[in-house]
Amino acid sequence: MKNGMFFYFVIIGVVVCMVSQASAKEREKKITITPWGWMTMGEVVKSTFIDGDVYADDTTDIGRKKYAYSSNYWHFDFAETWIIYTDMGLRVQAPAGDKSDITVHAGARIAFNTVLKENKSEQETRNFMRSFIPYPIETSLFTRHLDAEKVKLSTKLGYFSFKYNPDVRNLGEYLFRSGAYPPIVVSGFDIADKTKILGLQTRLSLFDNLHQDFFVHSEIQRYPVYDFSLSYLVNYTPNKLFDIGAGISFSHLISVDEEKTTPGIKAAGRITIDPKALFDMPIFGEEDLKLYTEAAVLGIKDYPVFYDDIRKRIPVMVGFNIPAFNILDVCALEVEYFPNDFSNSENHIWQQSVPIPFTGEAKPAAYGEVNKYPFPQRDDWKWSLFAVKSVGEVGEIIAQAASDHTWRKYVTTGKAGWLLGLGDEELCQSPLDWYWMLRFKFYLK
């Protein structure tokens, strides 16, 4: 708690120092300070419960268990668990000369852990229940090097969010927030636009409809961390009917420790079709009727035993914006198919430091010596229904019902999810498992 408070006030101090150091001339330009906050609430309606006493060689009651676990791990029944937390933050953007802007953005969350180990003492339970969690959102320097009518060149350096698919609301965005070896897919409530990049982005735009992005970025989401990757994306909008994009990422290309790294090449492509370009009907909202899809290859090269079939490393999602007739900003239905043989879990990556998918064993055997565990295939399909409504210029109301790739550690919201070993498993391990969430968001401009 004390360390978290110290970190939060350091971030706020950096914001104040950066603004105060601006020259008198720069202060005449607009410095934007945006405070914001939101309240989130929801419920896990159904989540497959796996008994911690089930061992890896026990396949009984297979209709209830997606796969077996070692009894060394804690497993809780998340069904009917309520999730409530509050976030607040401050975003400051200040000019740095004529062509650059500095952005510092930080937030904090107040949350209560509702999933607890039953035999904890009363004092320990109180410590687990309430959390104050500060977190950085952005610290970046954006520079416009060329700003001509038909050619634009810019760079962004630092820690920032990047979203290359403007239409997805939950599923998709595979290139940066998914892993290879093992192929890990990530999604969740209102996080599609929050994928973090630590590094340098260079953007070249031609004729306002062709954009190319080059990235040199450091790994901060999955083990081994700090490896450097090179990525390239291109987006082309030939007309109002079509929007096309593709990208490739040389993941973990430059290793800080070659003994821990398994480099992989990820590729992704997407297309959006907006039929409203064929007719003029004001009754439809700007996002209504859009049909979009995205697919990715999470590791182009095959490896024996675990990664011998590229088809099982290809997630595909399709989305459709249901007509909301200007009542809602967006009402998006999304479906995903990902025929992965193994659990979508980071268990062995973080706890065992090996590039092996979770096989149901607490400690994996040596690579190449483990046969594929015969998991029942119940988690190939995911779905999401997302809606958002703007409230003037000061806020939004966001709602979602989904069976997606939300990690259990994020549902617990605080330290308990990490300390109790809840972390690296999906909340929804069957298409029948699902949750709903509601968020009230406000900001001052």
Side-chain angles (χ1 to χ4, degrees):
M1 179 73 170
K2 292 181 180 179
N3 292 336
M5 290 290 291
F6 175 77
F7 172 81
Y8 186 68
F9 286 117
V10 167
I11 294 294
I12 297 300
V14 170
V15 174
V16 174
C17 290
M18 290 178 64
V19 174
S20 63
Q21 291 299 316
S23 65
K25 180 180 179 180
E26 290 170 345
R27 289 179 184 178
E28 294 177 359
K29 302 176 184 179
K30 185 177 182 181
I31 297 177
T32 304
I33 301 177
T34 308
W36 58 267
W38 65 54
M39 176 179 176
T40 305
M41 62 181 298
E43 181 186 15
V44 181
V45 178
K46 186 178 186 300
S47 178
T48 300
F49 174 69
I50 301 168
D51 193 338
D53 293 328
V54 177
Y55 287 85
D57 59 353
D58 182 7
T59 56
T60 60
D61 191 17
I62 207 67
R64 185 166 178 255
K65 306 175 181 67
K66 177 187 179 294
Y67 41 76
Y69 284 92
S70 165
S71 60
N72 293 331
Y73 290 86
W74 293 101
H75 301 283
F76 297 85
D77 190 352
F78 280 74
E80 300 180 358
T81 296
W82 276 82
I83 307 161
I84 300 178
Y85 54 87
T86 300
D87 291 67
M88 65 207 76
L90 184 69
R91 181 179 185 271
V92 177
Q93 187 175 71
D98 295 331
K99 296 183 177 181
S100 299
D101 296 300
I102 294 175
T103 300
V104 176
H105 191 180
R109 174 172 296 180
I110 299 174
F112 291 85
N113 294 297
T114 56
V115 182
L116 303 169
K117 184 177 174 181
E118 293 180 357
N119 62 353
K120 280 288 177 186
S121 69
E122 181 180 354
Q123 180 61 44
E124 288 174 317
T125 298
R126 284 201 298 269
N127 290 339
F128 276 124
M129 285 181 64
R130 186 167 63 182
S131 300
F132 176 84
I133 311 168
Y135 52 89
I137 299 175
E138 180 174 354
T139 55
S140 69
L141 171 66
F142 175 77
T143 303
R144 294 169 290 275
H145 300 282
L146 180 62
D147 194 10
E149 182 179 354
K150 296 183 178 180
V151 181
K152 300 180 188 300
L153 179 66
S154 64
T155 58
K156 180 177 282 191
L157 176 67
Y159 176 75
F160 51 91
S161 300
F162 182 76
K163 186 176 188 292
Y164 63 83
N165 191 334
D167 297 302
V168 300
R169 307 296 170 175
N170 184 357
L171 309 175
E173 285 282 328
Y174 299 118
L175 197 65
F176 287 123
R177 66 176 183 173
S178 298
Y181 311 123
I184 301 298
V185 179
V186 177
S187 56
F189 175 57
D190 197 26
I191 65 171
D193 60 343
K194 297 176 177 60
T195 302
K196 297 302 182 184
I197 300 291
L198 177 62
L200 173 67
Q201 174 194 6
T202 301
R203 163 161 285 200
L204 175 63
S205 298
L206 304 173
F207 305 103
D208 292 330
N209 65 349
L210 177 63
H211 306 286
Q212 299 178 80
D213 292 287
F214 305 84
F215 293 88
V216 180
H217 52 108
S218 181
E219 179 59 58
I220 55 175
Q221 299 185 65
R222 27 202 66 82
Y223 187 88
V225 294
Y226 307 131
D227 287 352
F228 286 91
S229 303
L230 300 180
S231 301
Y232 168 76
L233 287 122
V234 60
N235 170 225
Y236 179 53
T237 308
N239 48 51
K240 294 183 179 180
L241 181 62
F242 295 105
D243 184 17
I244 306 168
I248 188 169
S249 180
F250 298 90
S251 180
H252 297 271
L253 179 65
I254 304 173
S255 174
V256 298
D257 188 342
E258 293 183 358
E259 293 183 357
K260 298 178 180 179
T261 298
T262 302
I265 299 176
K266 299 182 292 183
R270 67 174 186 86
I271 185 171
T272 297
I273 302 174
D274 186 357
K276 298 193 304 298
L278 303 176
F279 51 83
D280 182 15
M281 295 186 66
I283 190 174
F284 293 114
E286 182 179 351
E287 302 297 325
D288 289 0
L289 298 178
K290 284 186 177 180
L291 178 66
Y292 51 94
T293 184
E294 181 179 344
V297 180
L298 305 180
I300 292 178
K301 183 179 178 180
D302 284 346
Y303 290 95
V305 184
F306 297 107
Y307 312 117
D308 56 4
D309 188 347
I310 192 174
R311 296 172 298 177
K312 296 181 179 180
R313 299 192 301 276
I314 300 179
V316 180
M317 66 81 60
V318 177
F320 176 68
N321 288 348
I322 301 170
F325 305 107
N326 292 302
I327 298 174
L328 300 175
D329 298 354
V330 179
C331 183
L333 176 63
E334 298 178 348
V335 179
E336 177 189 271
Y337 178 68
F338 183 32
N340 188 6
D341 273 344
F342 299 97
S343 167
N344 189 55
S345 170
E346 294 184 316
N347 191 296
H348 285 347
I349 301 175
W350 288 105
Q351 298 194 27
Q352 306 299 332
S353 304
V354 292
I356 295 177
F358 186 44
T359 58
E361 301 161 312
K363 294 183 178 180
Y367 185 84
E369 298 179 2
V370 181
N371 293 323
K372 289 183 179 179
Y373 196 82
F375 297 146
Q377 295 301 296
R378 299 177 56 216
D379 66 341
D380 290 353
W381 291 93
K382 299 295 183 181
W383 58 268
S384 173
L385 181 62
F386 176 94
V388 60
K389 171 64 177 178
S390 297
V391 181
E393 297 183 356
V394 297
E396 294 176 331
I397 301 174
I398 305 172
Q400 178 174 290
S403 177
D404 57 18
H405 300 289
T406 297
W407 301 116
R408 291 186 171 190
K409 61 188 174 187
Y410 297 137
V411 173
T412 60
T413 67
K415 296 180 180 179
W418 300 86
L419 297 180
L420 299 182
L422 298 173
D424 306 311
E425 305 159 18
E426 285 189 346
L427 181 68
C428 300
Q429 300 181 19
S430 158
L432 299 180
D433 295 344
W434 68 287
Y435 67 89
W436 64 266
M437 299 291 286
L438 185 65
R439 174 168 291 169
F440 302 92
K441 182 185 296 187
F442 60 90
Y443 34 81
L444 300 177
K445 297 182 179 181

